[in-house]
Amino acid sequence: MNKVELLRILRKASRGNIFSLEIPKNTQEDGRKMEEWAGELQKEGKIKLRECVQRDYSVYLHGIMKYAPE
């Protein structure tokens, strides 16, 4: 998975412009990478994160999709 694929997953999971998604992870490093990519997408202005929670086996992301051309 990379940043672009994460954005595609968030678009599919969104209802209107709000998304709430729990993504399974294999290792702690996977979770840190997903959190880093979400932060980069937020800096680029494509999403606005309200919540990013690392759980034992997943990463929970909740936020708002901003305009992002496909």
Side-chain angles (χ1 to χ4, degrees), residues 25-42:
K25 65 179 181 178
N26 295 326
T27 64
Q28 289 296 328
E29 183 63 30
D30 289 345
R32 283 190 286 269
K33 285 182 182 179
M34 281 187 251
E35 194 170 338
E36 181 181 316
W37 293 328
E40 288 178 18
L41 290 171
Q42 185 168 0

Side-chain angles (χ1 to χ4, degrees), residues 37-65:
W37 293 328
E40 288 178 18
L41 290 171
Q42 185 168 0
K43 286 179 186 174
E44 293 173 6
K46 295 183 179 180
I47 65 171
K48 176 158 173 62
L49 279 178
R50 289 186 175 172
E51 191 174 4
C52 181
V53 179
Q54 294 251 357
R55 296 187 176 154
D56 290 337
Y57 300 104
S58 64
V59 176
Y60 175 74
L61 298 171
H62 176 74
I64 299 169
M65 293 292 296

